[in-house]
Amino acid sequence: MSAAAAFHRSLGKRLVDAGLSLWFVAALVFLYAPIFAAIVYAFNLGVVNKQTAVITGWTLQWFPAAWNDLSLRRAVQASLVVSFWSALISVAIGSALGYAMVRHPQRAVRRFLSALTYTLLIVPETVIGVSLLMTYAVSGVPLGMASLIAGITPMAIAVVALIVRARVLTLDRRIEEAAADLGSTRLKTIRFIILPQILPAVMAGAVMAYTFSFDNLVVSAFLTTPQVNTLPVFLYGSLQYGPSPAVYAAAATVFLFTLLMLALAAQIHRWARRSTLPRSDEPQR
Amino acid sequence: MSDRLQDLTSTNTASGDNLSAGGRVPSIVTHRLTDHVLAAVPTIWLALFFLAPLGVTVAFSFGRSTFGGVVFDLTLDNYRNALSGFYGATFVRTLLFAASASALCIAVAYPVAYFLARRTRRRRGLAAGLILVPYFSSFLIRVMALHMLLSRDGLVEHVLNTLWLHSGPLDILDSQTAVFIGIVYAYLPITIVPLYVVLDRIPQPLLEASRDLGASRFKTFVFVTLPLSRPGIATSVLLTAVPMLGEMVIPRLLGGSKGVLLGQVLSAQYLQSQNYPLGSAMAVLILITIALIVTALARVTKGFSEVGP
């Protein structure tokens, strides 16, 4: 009887496990199907310069078409410039924020900075976008490259800050105290003790900030002008007239680029983990 | 309190010897200065490009719209306007939409997170990575491709027809269903992560104890696992319901003109009708709703230590 019950139980367990595995696979298919579709459609012939849901034939013509599309190219260029500067600013400010969130001597300040960072993450982008638009209008700042870059930094800063914060939390405080005891100033301690230790997190944060900025659509949609138009905003706009087939070629290229950036970030992260092993035991191998 | 105490002691001893007060000892002035600069720079930057703009929106929401401009005032007309008629209905519809879409996301994500949490450590990393990669690839491109897949004569239609689950052309685009599919698609990865983190931390002995005391697997799940995963569920709600309140891209691309949501109406106030005070009032209403959600979630997870990312 108990054997039968055990059998029953293990059968139930197996059924549940099989169901969970199936669900997981279904989720993966769901998540990846559109990505593969975007890549496949980059090679689809379409019908008379219009992309179609049916595969009508294979072609490579959309890649040169995308390259020769002047407005598309200008959008990519603008995106590259915007995300470069945004990543640079966000890394500098986000790292300082991530560090101060953990190590600022006053608890009230630490709390305030944490609250600020989490607020950044939960205010919808639409609200941030319209608020910035109004602020620029009120203060007479013309919309352009600089105002766009400044506008998309807050969210990238929050991302960098959280990555750096996670790293600072793992640092051994005693090393900093030892440095201080030996007469190092705070600035020197940061430069020579902390920065080398958090550098991998800073770099991973840089890649993330770059990807986020490159991809930003909602805030950018409010802050771009016909002169300064980033790729996501351009694509979003072009959807209203039915996307040009070249759009998918550009999209596929961008996707591969993003994937490369992510692989880079993962590699940096792995390298970081290796370099955090205690140096002193190295010779003992 | 204890921090401040330590501050006081270190300030007092610093003038004399450098050896006594354990931690931050030498040259208190520069040390303080560095720390303050590191905290001040981000604060100033974010005050300029985040807090001040939100302040402008709050100020505008009490203003009066003139021809293409705003006159400052202290009127509640914009709120009245935003909460009545078509806009009020949109607000309510958006709230309902955010609640149901968030619940749907969690229902889809929970089994995936549960599956991930029960893998061995090595395979788990790989599986979690697989789930996260789509989240970091371009959001717009993914939604565009989803549009292609769901369109008439698209892949989904063919697959469903082959599987005999559907016959004839598929008219799913430009409907609330398509918006739900798109929302779940876009938010699934970030819904899974907090659930996974919290499920991963539930101590195994607790589940074994429940089984030893005679609870079935189902009962163990309902009375032990589910309540313990509350903080993860709360974080997932926060990460999905909150951005959905301002969502404007997915409804527009997949939902067409039907079932317009607050995000679209809000952005239209700025980009089309230029009624900035009304748009600002809507934005403030979104912020108030978020504050209420955060308060409610904090209450639900009271007693749990912080489960952060």
Side-chain angles (χ1 to χ4, degrees), chain B residues 214-282:
Chain B
S216 66
R217 291 171 65 82
F218 181 70
K219 269 195 170 165
T220 305
F221 177 76
V222 171
F223 292 107
V224 181
T225 311
L226 207 54
L228 282 176
S229 56
R230 240 161 46 211
I233 295 175
T235 312
S236 288
V237 169
L238 197 66
L239 290 178
T240 52
V242 165
M244 277 175 206
L245 291 175
E247 186 63 61
M248 59 177 211
V249 177
I250 295 175
R252 198 170 135 209
L253 290 185
L254 299 177
S257 55
K258 277 164 228 151
V260 174
L261 295 180
L262 196 57
Q264 293 155 279
V265 180
L266 165 63
S267 68
Q269 301 310 318
Y270 290 88
L271 301 178
Q272 277 125 45
S273 50
Q274 306 203 326
N275 191 342
Y276 304 133
L278 179 59
S280 302
M282 290 174 182

Side-chain angles (χ1 to χ4, degrees), chain B residues 55-262:
Chain B
V56 168
T57 292
V58 173
F60 266 38
S61 70
F62 298 106
R64 228 178 265 284
S65 168
T66 59
F67 189 71
V70 178
V71 176
F72 287 102
D73 199 351
L74 267 178
T75 170
L76 287 174
D77 285 355
N78 303 308
Y79 288 96
R80 211 167 292 136
N81 202 346
L83 285 172
S84 61
F86 169 70
Y87 297 134
T90 307
F91 185 55
V92 173
R93 185 166 56 233
T94 306
L95 292 182
L96 292 175
F97 170 80
S100 47
S102 172
L104 187 65
C105 278
I106 289 171
V108 174
Y110 203 97
V112 179
Y114 193 76
F115 174 85
L116 287 178
R118 296 187 352 158
R119 294 304 100 187
T120 54
R121 199 151 280 282
R122 261 188 65 202
R123 293 167 98 195
R124 204 188 294 182
L126 180 72
L130 276 176
I131 292 284
L132 271 181
V133 165
Y135 181 64
F136 291 112
S137 61
S138 175
F139 161 77
L140 183 64
I141 292 167
R142 287 185 298 140
V143 177
M144 271 165 56
L146 194 63
H147 186 273
M148 270 295 196
L149 287 178
L150 292 178
S151 65
R152 260 182 186 231
D153 220 9
L155 187 64
V156 173
E157 181 189 309
H158 286 291
V159 170
L160 288 183
N161 273 310
T162 323
L163 293 175
W164 293 30
L165 289 170
H166 184 85
S167 65
L170 186 70
D171 276 318
I172 201 170
L173 280 181
D174 296 343
S175 72
Q176 197 75 359
T177 319
V179 178
F180 273 113
I181 293 175
I183 287 276
V184 172
Y185 175 66
Y187 289 96
L188 190 56
I190 43 162
T191 322
I192 291 173
V193 172
L195 294 172
Y196 160 67
V197 168
V198 90
L199 285 173
D200 187 41
R201 285 188 191 174
I202 294 176
Q204 202 60 35
L206 224 53
L207 304 179
E208 283 162 18
S210 162
R211 300 295 306 274
D212 286 348
L213 292 171
S216 66
R217 291 171 65 82
F218 181 70
K219 269 195 170 165
T220 305
F221 177 76
V222 171
F223 292 107
V224 181
T225 311
L226 207 54
L228 282 176
S229 56
R230 240 161 46 211
I233 295 175
T235 312
S236 288
V237 169
L238 197 66
L239 290 178
T240 52
V242 165
M244 277 175 206
L245 291 175
E247 186 63 61
M248 59 177 211
V249 177
I250 295 175
R252 198 170 135 209
L253 290 185
L254 299 177
S257 55
K258 277 164 228 151
V260 174
L261 295 180
L262 196 57

Side-chain angles (χ1 to χ4, degrees), chain A residues 30-46:
Chain A
F30 181 47
L31 287 176
Y32 279 90
I35 293 176
F36 284 119
I39 294 172
V40 167
Y41 280 119
F43 298 97
N44 182 21
L45 199 55

Side-chain angles (χ1 to χ4, degrees), chain A residues 90-101 113 160-161 164, chain B residues 37-39 41-42:
Chain A
S90 309
V91 161
I93 295 178
S95 302
L97 179 59
Y99 176 79
M101 270 164 90
L113 294 177
V160 176
V164 170
Chain B
V37 168
L38 284 177
V41 170

